[in-house]
C-alpha cells in the first residue's frame, strides 16, 4: 500500500475523491477503522487518509505518544486496508497543526485529489473557532459523523447545516482512544478494541503504562 506523504506532487491523471480523517490516533483503534469504512461509503470516496496530527490546537499535549510511535501504529493498523492510507503530512508542518494549512499542502502535493473533510460532531460544534474556517467551508465538502458519549457534544441538527456540509448516518463511535489508554494503564486487555498488530506493538514497547496512560 502506498502511503500518502507531503513530498512530490502526484502525477496520476485520474481524479480521486479522498476523505481527510485527521486525529492524534493515540492510539488508533478498531472504531476509527470501522468509521472510516462507513464514511467512505456514505460520502462516495475512493480512499480515506488517516492524517496523524502532532498537536491539536484545542488539546493539551500531555499524554500524547510521540509522533513516530503513533505513525507506526497507524501504518501497522492499515497495512491490510488498501483504501485506507496513513498520511504523515502534518508531521512536517509548523505547530500548532491547522487543518487549513494541511489542506493547502495536500492540494499542492496531490493536485488530482478532491478532499472531503471528515469530522466529529464535537469538532463541528466549535468549527467557527478553527483557523480559516470560512475558507475550509468554501473550498471543501465536510461530512460530520456522530460521536459517542466521550464526545460530549449536542446532537447535530441537519436542518442547521450550511451548503456543502452533510451529516453521515453512521453508528456512534463508542470506543475511544481515552478508554484504550485507561485500560492499558490499569493493565487490562484491549483485545477487540485495537487491531492485533497495534496490540502487539503496544505490548512489546510498553506504551501507555504508568504516567503515559493519562
Amino acid at each position: 500500500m502506498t502511503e500518502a506523504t507531503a513530498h512530490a506532487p502526484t502525477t496520476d491523471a485520474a481524479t480521486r475523491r479522498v476523505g481527510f480523517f485527521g486525529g492524534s490516533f493515540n492510539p488508533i483503534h478498531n472504531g476509527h477503522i470501522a468509521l472510516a469504512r462507513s464514511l467512505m461509503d456514505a460520502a462516495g470516496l475512493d480512499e480515506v487518509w488517516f492524517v496523524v496530527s502532532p498537536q491539536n490546537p484545542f488539546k493539551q499535549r500531555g499524554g500524547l505518544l510521540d509522533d513516530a510511535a503513533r505513525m507506526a501504529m497507524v501504518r501497522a493498523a492499515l497495512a491490510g486496508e488498501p483504501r485506507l492510507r496513513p498520511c504523515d503530512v502534518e508531521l512536517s508542518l509548523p505547530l500548532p497543526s491547522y487543518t487549513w494549512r494541511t489542506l493547502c499542502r495536500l492540494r499542492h502535493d496531490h493536485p488530482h485529489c478532491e478532499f472531503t473533510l471528515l469530522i466529529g460532531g464535537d469538532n463541528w460544534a466549535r468549527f467557527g473557532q478553527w483557523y480559516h474556517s470560512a475558507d475550509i467551508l468554501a473550498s471543501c465538502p465536510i461530512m460530520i459523523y456522530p460521536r459517542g458519549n466521550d464526545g460530549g457534544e449536542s446532537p447535530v441538527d441537519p436542518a442547521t447545516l450550511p451548503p456543502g456540509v452533510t451529516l453521515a448516518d453512521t453508528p456512534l463511535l463508542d470506543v475511544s482512544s481515552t478508554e484504550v489508554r485507561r485500560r492499558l494503564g490499569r493493565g487490562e486487555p484491549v483485545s477487540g478494541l485495537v487491531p492485533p498488530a497495534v496490540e502487539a506493538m503496544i505490548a512489546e514497547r510498553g506504551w501507555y503504562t504508568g504516567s503515559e496512560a493519562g
Side-chain angles (χ1 to χ4, degrees):
M1 176 180 60
T2 302
E3 180 171 318
T5 62
H7 305 304
T10 58
T11 57
D12 306 30
T15 299
R16 284 179 292 165
R17 299 189 64 191
V18 175
F20 177 119
F21 187 24
S24 58
F25 302 110
N26 188 41
I28 187 171
H29 53 69
N30 290 337
H32 289 132
I33 296 172
L35 177 62
R37 292 186 191 127
S38 180
L39 292 172
M40 187 161 50
D41 291 339
L45 304 172
D46 298 308
E47 298 175 342
V48 170
W49 292 5
F50 284 60
V51 182
V52 178
S53 175
Q55 180 180 335
N56 183 326
F58 292 104
K59 293 183 181 179
Q60 297 297 318
R61 193 176 176 87
L64 186 66
L65 212 60
D66 68 72
D67 298 345
R70 291 180 294 112
M71 196 71 220
M73 285 190 287
V74 171
R75 290 189 184 107
L78 303 183
E81 299 282 349
R83 296 175 65 196
L84 307 181
R85 301 174 62 188
C87 180
D88 65 358
V89 60
E90 286 199 345
L91 304 186
S92 65
L93 296 177
L95 294 177
S97 301
Y98 290 118
T99 297
W100 173 247
R101 290 177 181 166
T102 308
L103 281 168
C104 290
R105 180 65 175 272
L106 286 173
R107 287 169 179 149
H108 172 269
D109 291 353
H110 305 276
H112 298 292
C113 292
E114 295 178 351
F115 293 94
T116 295
L117 181 62
L118 309 174
I119 62 173
D122 53 340
N123 279 318
W124 176 251
R126 57 189 178 190
F127 184 76
Q129 303 173 38
W130 283 29
Y131 180 75
H132 280 251
S133 60
D135 290 323
I136 297 173
L137 192 59
S139 64
C140 181
I142 299 175
M143 176 162 279
I144 304 168
Y145 56 87
R147 292 290 299 268
N149 292 333
D150 189 65
E153 87 287 355
S154 300
V156 177
D157 181 359
T160 66
L161 298 178
V165 181
T166 56
L167 179 63
D169 183 15
T170 60
L172 288 175
L173 181 58
D174 290 328
V175 60
S176 71
S177 296
T178 301
E179 179 58 24
V180 172
R181 294 196 304 273
R182 286 174 182 161
R183 291 179 66 90
L184 290 165
R186 295 193 295 257
E188 298 174 359
V190 292
S191 297
L193 298 180
V194 299
V198 172
E199 182 180 9
M201 189 177 292
I202 290 171
E204 178 184 347
R205 296 169 189 178
W207 291 331
Y208 303 116
T209 59
S211 60
E212 289 184 346

